Amino acid sequence: MSDSVRVRFAPSPTGYLHIGGARTALFNWLYARHTGGRFILRIEDTDQARNTDAAVEVILSGLRWLGLDWNEGPETALASGPSRGDFGPYFQSQRGHRYQVRAAELKSGGHAYERDGALYFRMPREPITIPDQVVGDVVRPLTDREELDPDWVLIRSDGQPVFHFVNVVDDLEMGITDVIRGEDHLSNTAKHIALFRAFGVKPPRYAHIPLILNDDGSKMSKRNLGASLQHYIDNGYAPEAVLNYLCLLGWSPKDGQELFSISELVSRFELSAINRSNARFDLKKLDHVHFEQTRKMNADRFVQLGIEALRKGQVEIPADATATDPFVRAALLTVQEKGKLFSELPLWTDFYFKADDAIVCDAETQAKALPNLAAPILEALTKAFDGVPVFRSAALEATLKGLAVTLGVKAGALVQPCRAAVTGKLVGPSLYHLLEVLGREKVRRRLMAAIERVENESPGFSRQRA
């Protein structure tokens, strides 16, 4: 398709990236990619008292984490119109001269005037119709106050331009064709349309998307735990899962499909499929999407994210470990089917990377899985595993179950002591697969060490040595 579509995401650096802002960025990005257009990132940082480099970095890192790449920036931008390049983002704080030029243009054309040291825009007195691709046509009549004085400030008496003015100037000069933003901005749009007309240009197409509410229907504010994208980054959600779920908040295809790859979303995204009603954020649904996305994730991608999670959790993996490291890869892939949050992987896999003599059970695990009578079971398992010709999961499973039959017990009576002995835990990856990954020698050393601990903690108990 043509690259004539130009959309933008224009956040203010307030210290965090709201989940609603992340969804707005996503919808813009998807529409740009779907149409072959351009996705432009513009930082609205004219409030120098509130904005910091750290706050900007929160936005940039959040978008990078989601994989939402932008297409151009000031290095190639021309004041006369849109540019072509792969830089960015734009910063409003660097465009002050353009606002002054455009303000003078409005003043000379009779669309603006000075009052009390500020510059005011002459707002039309008739109602303005807002054509919207989601909401439909909306007529914006003047309020009672506006009937008396509908004009509004473009540039304050201290020289600072207001949001509505710089927003329109930037959209005009960057050639924005479609403005996709939250429905809370709908009330501002009449002012923006009036400004575009004053500049003698056709306004962009508007699409105001529904708001995101808490699960109880209340407005999602900064104080809500899940309002910040950083919450999901810190808690180990897969970017693919968050992106997939955000897309479902206000958008849905006709066939009801809910799980998508990025390429599928790009292919299928249409503004016409955006819902009119507000979306409710359902954490359980996000967890389900994460579970499914993680289980079907490409193995290389899963291992890459897993390695990052292990390092973040201070698990001592090799410093040069990559997704191709055989042991690290095999260890992480034993938990992929569990669909766990990546923040949980250190607790589920740290035993792989510990020294054999560092595998120690807590009191609960010791009591449940390694009581006094566990030593004979562990010794029998050790001998049985010694006899396995090929140390693979299928053979290990058959051996353990065969031993259970010989001993006249259920397999679970052997599984729990074995798991506790080699991992120090009661739950974890598939026992037979983790045994294969650890390998014959590690498993034997850990079983023997567990036997020794059980004997030492059971005075008067002794086993007959082979």
Side-chain angles (χ1 to χ4, degrees):
M1 300 181 74
S2 168
D3 68 348
S4 59
V5 166
R6 294 172 62 80
V7 297
R8 48 71 167 177
F9 177 52
S12 297
T14 57
Y16 84 126
L17 180 56
H18 192 280
I19 201 73
R23 186 199 54 172
T24 298
L26 170 61
F27 280 13
N28 277 276
W29 184 88
L30 285 172
Y31 189 60
R33 297 296 174 260
H34 178 77
T35 59
R38 310 282 286 181
F39 172 64
I40 296 162
L41 177 61
R42 185 173 77 220
I43 306 298
E44 297 191 338
D45 62 339
T46 53
D47 187 349
Q48 293 300 301
R50 296 177 58 198
N51 303 327
T52 64
D53 290 342
V56 172
E57 184 54 36
V58 167
I59 295 171
L60 302 185
S61 62
L63 295 179
R64 292 189 186 108
W65 184 77
L66 286 171
L68 305 183
D69 53 329
W70 50 93
N71 292 119
E72 67 184 53
E75 288 84 349
T76 57
L78 302 175
S80 58
S83 61
R84 292 293 181 268
D86 293 310
F87 303 92
Y90 291 96
F91 289 89
Q92 282 187 337
S93 59
Q94 299 172 3
R95 291 177 46 78
H97 67 292
R98 295 305 310 157
Y99 307 137
Q100 295 301 322
V101 169
R102 290 293 183 173
E105 181 181 332
L106 289 174
K107 189 174 179 181
S108 65
H111 298 290
Y113 62 93
E114 292 185 14
R115 183 206 301 175
D116 300 326
L119 186 67
Y120 280 74
F121 177 67
R122 295 186 190 278
M123 188 69 179
R125 269 52 180 171
E126 68 276 3
I128 292 178
T129 298
I130 305 166
D132 192 279
Q133 300 178 82
V134 174
V135 180
D137 286 356
V138 177
V139 178
R140 172 71 162 83
L142 298 176
T143 65
D144 292 341
R145 184 189 64 79
E146 289 171 337
E147 287 282 359
L148 298 175
D149 184 9
D151 299 346
W152 50 275
V153 173
L154 292 169
I155 298 179
R156 300 187 184 94
S157 58
D158 62 1
Q160 287 296 312
V162 302
F163 160 77
H164 303 297
F165 177 48
V166 297
N167 184 278
V168 168
V169 170
D170 288 343
D171 284 349
L172 188 162
E173 298 197 348
M174 295 174 190
I176 302 303
T177 61
D178 296 80
V179 173
I180 305 169
R181 60 190 181 188
E183 195 172 285
D184 51 330
H185 286 288
L186 184 59
S187 60
N188 303 327
T189 307
K191 292 181 178 180
H192 299 178
I193 289 175
L195 261 181
F196 277 110
R197 291 173 178 170
F199 283 123
V201 299
K202 184 179 179 180
R205 295 179 292 267
Y206 288 95
H208 287 91
I209 59 182
L211 302 180
I212 298 177
L213 306 177
N214 291 313
D215 194 36
D216 62 2
S218 61
K219 184 177 180 180
M220 183 177 277
S221 69
K222 292 182 180 181
R223 293 183 295 276
N224 296 121
L225 180 63
S228 170
L229 181 67
Q230 193 64 42
H231 171 79
Y232 305 98
I233 298 174
D234 293 343
N235 282 275
Y237 285 88
E240 293 88 336
V242 175
L243 189 147
N244 186 161
Y245 181 63
L246 284 179
C247 202
L248 299 177
L249 292 173
W251 175 87
S252 58
K254 293 180 180 179
D255 62 5
Q257 181 178 339
E258 293 188 333
L259 296 175
F260 298 92
S261 66
I262 303 301
S263 60
E264 286 177 318
L265 286 173
V266 169
S267 174
R268 300 191 60 178
F269 186 81
E270 296 279 359
L271 291 179
S272 60
I274 294 178
N275 303 321
R276 288 283 304 273
S277 58
N278 290 331
R280 295 198 180 197
F281 195 95
D282 184 346
L283 186 59
K284 290 182 179 178
K285 183 67 172 289
L286 171 58
D287 288 343
H288 169 72
V289 172
H290 173 89
F291 176 82
E292 296 294 345
Q293 283 282 3
T294 305
R295 284 162 54 90
K296 71 175 187 178
M297 188 178 287
N298 173 274
D300 288 344
R301 173 65 171 164
F302 181 85
V303 175
Q304 173 197 350
L305 293 175
I307 289 173
E308 293 172 5
L310 293 183
R311 288 188 172 131
K312 190 174 181 180
Q314 299 183 327
V315 176
E316 295 185 6
I317 62 174
D320 58 350
T322 66
T324 60
D325 183 289
F327 182 77
V328 175
R329 183 183 183 86
L332 285 169
L333 290 180
T334 61
V335 296
Q336 182 171 5
E337 67 173 13
K338 301 294 184 181
K340 293 291 181 181
L341 297 178
F342 283 95
S343 57
E344 298 175 298
L345 295 196
L347 289 175
W348 276 68
T349 62
D350 61 349
F351 67 87
Y352 283 117
F353 308 100
K354 290 182 178 181
D356 296 331
D357 59 2
I359 303 299
V360 180
C361 302
D362 61 24
E364 179 186 4
T365 303
Q366 185 76 28
K368 288 184 177 180
L370 294 174
N372 296 353
L373 298 180
I377 291 175
L378 295 178
E379 185 174 38
L381 273 172
T382 303
K383 292 178 180 178
F385 287 159
D386 283 345
V388 176
V390 180
F391 212 74
R392 295 290 185 266
S393 60
L396 293 167
E397 182 177 4
T399 298
L400 184 145
K401 290 181 177 178
L403 178 60
V405 172
T406 300
L407 297 177
V409 298
K410 293 183 178 180
L414 305 184
V415 168
Q416 282 287 61
C418 184
R419 180 185 296 280
V422 299
T423 71
K425 304 173 189 293
L426 290 171
V427 296
S430 161
L431 174 64
Y432 311 111
H433 288 90
L434 73 84
L435 292 173
E436 178 182 332
V437 173
L438 286 171
R440 188 188 301 274
E441 295 306 316
K442 273 186 172 291
V443 169
R444 192 178 205 283
R445 286 196 296 269
R446 293 184 181 193
L447 287 172
M448 295 301 294
I451 293 169
E452 195 72 27
R453 286 198 304 274
V454 170
E455 290 184 338
N456 290 340
E457 293 172 8
S458 305
F461 177 83
S462 64
R463 62 183 175 90
Q464 294 194 356
R465 304 275 177 181

